Amino acid sequence: MRLPIYMDYHATTPIDPRVLEAMMPSLTTEFGNAASRQHPAGLNAEKLAEKGRAQVAGLINADPAEIIFTSGATESDNLAIKGVAESCREKGRHIITQVTEHKAVLDTCRDLEQKGFRITYLPVDRTGRIRPGELEKAIDGETILISIMVANNEIGTLQPVDQIGEIARRRGVFFHADAAQAAGKIPVDVQKSRIDLLSLTAHKLYGPKGVGALYVRRSNPYVKMTPLIHGGGHERGLRSGTLNVPGIVGFGKACELAQAEMPGESERMRRLRDRLYDGIQNDLKGVHLNGHPSERLPHNLNVSFEGVEGHALLSSLTRGIAVSSGSACASANAEPSYVLKALGMQELLIHASVRFGLGRFNTEEEVDYAVRHVTETVRKMRAAFPLSANP
Ligand SMILES: *Cc1c(COP(=O)(O)O)cnc(C)c1O
């Protein structure tokens, strides 16, 4: 086994070899500009991009004409929120989101706040879910957009998107959902969940980095949008710039594979994840599960260990397994995770939290190694530096 074993698939995923293979022609012989329709090079590139568009649309049950390619989920979130805010500002200037969104949503909302928009940040319960009743109450005559993610990137908690979509549709408010973590892992259906705008990114589902998409509904209702990037009028005028054809081809292939393999793969992830959690829990006391016990992504495990110091834990753990933690250890003054804070957790447990993100290339053998490595590390630390709360 090559150490450390990669278990940080929420941060990014490696490119699946089948995705890379599919991309190769567009990186070599099929290099045309998809907008150059006058000659075969351009037409071939356009054909490749349109195939990718159909594959991406297929994953979320959308029409290919409703897919706008971007540079990733950060750009998609920005385009969705600022694009609707700008185009609907005459109708109202109120946006509803929630406290555990990705920074791409939260920082965009903060920016709009500076520009005269009113933002409601809904709280979450101890499992990380919003309460639909509170959402309903927060909507007023000026509300133009609800932005709530499908699945959280730290704790894997799934938001009740079907209910949110129902409320949004009934109240005539657009619903944007960030599905960067959920897409390709669990079914995401923009029709069933009545989602009007949906953010995606390729590098979280075994595609290349630097390419993503925004789904923008074209009928019932038609979402009116203002672009952020102006230029040649590509992507229905919503996102100008030469299409990243190799990225789109890879993104499309990655979506096709994810869709085809999802039933078996999500079951395999769930089994591996449960094996990891059960193994750790059987061998250690004082282990807390963060997030929702069942309404969570199948490959996510976020746990806190009582009686250990967070920084020391992570630096020991990452010699054997590549995972991340609830404190931003890279910086001098580690800020505890705002997501875990929003669940009402104590700071000590936030710092001593570990996020495991399993993925396509993890094996049972690797999970068993991780269980041994985690339990030995935590035991040693508890023995060497007994904190008062040691179980
Ligand atoms: C990774 C991630 C993003 C950002 O995606 P990029 O493609 O890296 O810009 C946004 N939202 C969520 C929930 C994510 O997990």
Side-chain angles (χ1 to χ4, degrees), residues 251-304:
F251 188 12
K253 183 70 184 178
C255 288
E256 182 192 279
L257 291 171
Q259 192 177 2
E261 297 174 0
M262 193 184 300
E265 189 62 3
S266 68
E267 202 34 54
R268 193 180 78 89
M269 283 305 116
R270 203 181 305 279
R271 271 204 312 276
L272 284 184
R273 189 265 317 271
D274 292 348
R275 187 182 180 93
L276 177 61
Y277 184 47
D278 293 346
I280 292 171
Q281 265 206 318
N282 285 340
D283 292 353
L284 288 175
K285 285 197 176 56
V287 180
H288 299 261
L289 178 75
N290 304 321
H292 198 286
S294 58
E295 291 298 304
R296 66 194 296 125
L297 290 170
H299 61 304
N300 171 278
L301 180 66
N302 192 313
V303 284
S304 290

Side-chain angles (χ1 to χ4, degrees), residues 231-247:
H234 309 72
E235 301 297 275
R236 289 162 48 199
L238 285 178
R239 208 286 192 173
S240 289
T242 300
L243 283 187
N244 172 4
V245 178

Side-chain angles (χ1 to χ4, degrees), residues 5-6 35 49 83 88 107 110 119-120 138-139 173 181 216 233 238 253 266-267 316 354 366:
I5 295 163
Y6 191 75
C88 296
D107 288 352
R110 290 270 177 238
I119 315 285
T120 298
I139 298 173
V173 178
Q181 291 291 336
V216 183
L238 285 178
K253 183 70 184 178
S266 68
E267 202 34 54
S316 299
V354 177
E366 289 179 337

Side-chain angles (χ1 to χ4, degrees), residues 15 19 123 127 138 142 148 165 175 192 205 253 264 372:
I15 294 187
V19 168
T127 69
E142 302 206 312
I148 292 178
F175 174 27
K192 177 173 160 280
L205 46 78
K253 183 70 184 178
R372 287 196 304 276

Side-chain angles (χ1 to χ4, degrees), residues 97-106 120-130 147-159 178 181 291 337-344:
T97 185
Q98 59 90 22
V99 290
T100 69
E101 287 295 309
H102 191 273
K103 288 287 182 190
V105 167
L106 293 177
T120 298
Y121 300 90
L122 295 173
V124 293
D125 63 20
R126 299 189 75 84
T127 69
R129 301 190 108 203
I130 66 139
S147 181
I148 292 178
M149 68 202 328
V150 182
N152 184 269
N153 43 298
E154 289 189 35
I155 51 179
T157 294
L158 308 180
Q159 294 293 352
D178 179 337
Q181 291 291 336
S337 152
Y338 67 92
V339 172
L340 298 182
K341 252 182 157 168
L343 308 184

Side-chain angles (χ1 to χ4, degrees), residues 40-163:
L43 288 169
N44 290 346
E46 189 194 22
K47 232 160 104 184
L48 289 175
E50 291 318 303
K51 182 176 174 196
R53 196 185 300 280
Q55 288 166 317
V56 172
L59 181 66
I60 58 168
N61 193 22
D63 189 298
E66 298 175 309
I67 300 296
I68 307 296
F69 286 114
T70 66
S71 64
T74 300
E75 185 187 331
S76 298
D77 288 344
N78 271 266
L79 176 58
I81 298 168
K82 291 177 189 164
V84 166
E86 180 65 31
S87 73
C88 296
R89 60 192 305 146
E90 296 313 317
K91 186 193 164 207
R93 295 189 174 200
H94 179 228
I95 293 172
I96 301 172
T97 185
Q98 59 90 22
V99 290
T100 69
E101 287 295 309
H102 191 273
K103 288 287 182 190
V105 167
L106 293 177
D107 288 352
T108 301
C109 287
R110 290 270 177 238
D111 179 64
L112 286 175
E113 238 167 348
Q114 301 301 312
K115 293 170 177 150
F117 285 82
R118 185 162 50 88
I119 315 285
T120 298
Y121 300 90
L122 295 173
V124 293
D125 63 20
R126 299 189 75 84
T127 69
R129 301 190 108 203
I130 66 139
R131 298 172 188 86
E134 287 184 357
L135 168 66
E136 179 103 49
K137 267 192 232 134
I139 298 173
D140 62 32
E142 302 206 312
T143 312
I144 52 175
L145 181 69
I146 295 166
S147 181
I148 292 178
M149 68 202 328
V150 182
N152 184 269
N153 43 298
E154 289 189 35
I155 51 179
T157 294
L158 308 180
Q159 294 293 352
V161 284
D162 289 0
Q163 267 172 287

